[in-house]
Amino acid sequence: MAPTGVGSNEFYRSEEEYLSAVADALRVEYQTIIDAGFSVQIDDPFLPDLFADRQLDNAAIHRKANAYIEILNHALRGLPQDKIRYHTCYSINEGPRIHDVPFIEFVRFMLRINASDYSFEAGNVRHEHEYHLWEQVKLPEGKRLIPGVICHTSNTVEHPELIAERLVRFAERVGRDNVIAGVDCGFSSQATYRTEVHPTVIREKFRALRAGVSGDHHRRFAIHQFK
């Protein structure tokens, strides 16, 4: 969780003072996770949500986005960047998604966050075309992308060939060593949710993901053809 998504200020003199205290507290948790041998994933729907706030003009959105990034980087200060993943989390529920924020609107803000890996929605058909933005935006040295290549809000199981194609699109633009296969979001996107996809379908989606990444689908196809 990013600091901007934790509770609300009831005791501090300003929002800035409150968020700074939250960031300090979360840093202890992040450090504990890393010390235990794990990577930290920051799930953050709050940054992209800013860009959909119709009460703010572009200047106000950018000011708040800069403040969000500053406070998150404050929470991450001194932590090994190669142990930090950032997840945009802006397409979490089943729906038409016609008002989702275009990724191009906030990707440059996202890349300023002190993480090594960036996870984002790309399997959702409302966002699948957005791989083209990496023809305009340069991925910084030492960073990797984790595009979602299976969708967590659809009961259709993606074909491994499609999953492989989705990965290749990103690899062609940022380099194959800079791409990791991911999921759009968690299948139970909040702890209080029931999954919108049946667990048996979830398992099939992950089997397809494994096959698409490993190339197993090519071998199975060849065996079938020559039986």
Side-chain angles (χ1 to χ4, degrees), residues 62-154:
H62 291 175
R63 281 196 301 273
K64 290 198 75 171
N66 285 327
Y68 274 33
I69 292 166
E70 183 177 340
I71 202 67
L72 177 53
N73 282 340
H74 178 68
L76 296 173
R77 68 192 185 282
L79 300 179
Q81 199 169 110
D82 64 344
K83 293 293 185 179
I84 308 295
R85 289 182 171 186
Y86 178 83
H87 176 58
T88 58
C89 203
Y90 69 114
S91 184
I92 63 174
N93 62 303
E94 185 177 11
R97 314 239 59 86
I98 58 176
H99 298 298
D100 277 358
V101 183
F103 196 23
I104 191 67
E105 293 291 327
F106 65 92
V107 67
R108 289 183 173 87
F109 290 89
M110 179 191 77
L111 291 174
R112 289 169 44 207
I113 293 163
N114 294 333
S116 62
D117 303 317
Y118 300 98
S119 165
F120 53 91
E121 289 71 7
N124 184 312
V125 292
R126 194 72 189 179
H127 297 283
E128 187 173 1
H129 66 287
E130 292 178 320
Y131 67 90
H132 284 294
L133 73 84
W134 299 104
E135 297 159 10
Q136 309 167 42
V137 177
K138 180 176 174 52
L139 183 66
E141 189 75 24
K143 307 284 188 176
R144 295 179 297 190
L145 303 182
I146 311 178
V149 290
I150 56 175
C151 180
H152 69 295
T153 60
S154 165

Side-chain angles (χ1 to χ4, degrees), residues 18-86:
Y18 165 71
L19 287 174
S20 180
V22 171
D24 287 338
L26 281 177
R27 186 184 180 281
V28 175
E29 296 194 18
Y30 299 159
Q31 181 73 69
T32 302
I33 292 168
I34 291 170
D35 289 346
F38 299 101
S39 292
V40 172
Q41 178 166 306
I42 309 297
D43 288 345
D44 185 9
F46 313 104
L47 177 60
D49 279 355
L50 276 179
F51 291 80
D53 191 336
R54 297 183 180 182
Q55 297 180 339
L56 302 176
D57 60 20
N58 283 341
I61 288 171
H62 291 175
R63 281 196 301 273
K64 290 198 75 171
N66 285 327
Y68 274 33
I69 292 166
E70 183 177 340
I71 202 67
L72 177 53
N73 282 340
H74 178 68
L76 296 173
R77 68 192 185 282
L79 300 179
Q81 199 169 110
D82 64 344
K83 293 293 185 179
I84 308 295
R85 289 182 171 186
Y86 178 83

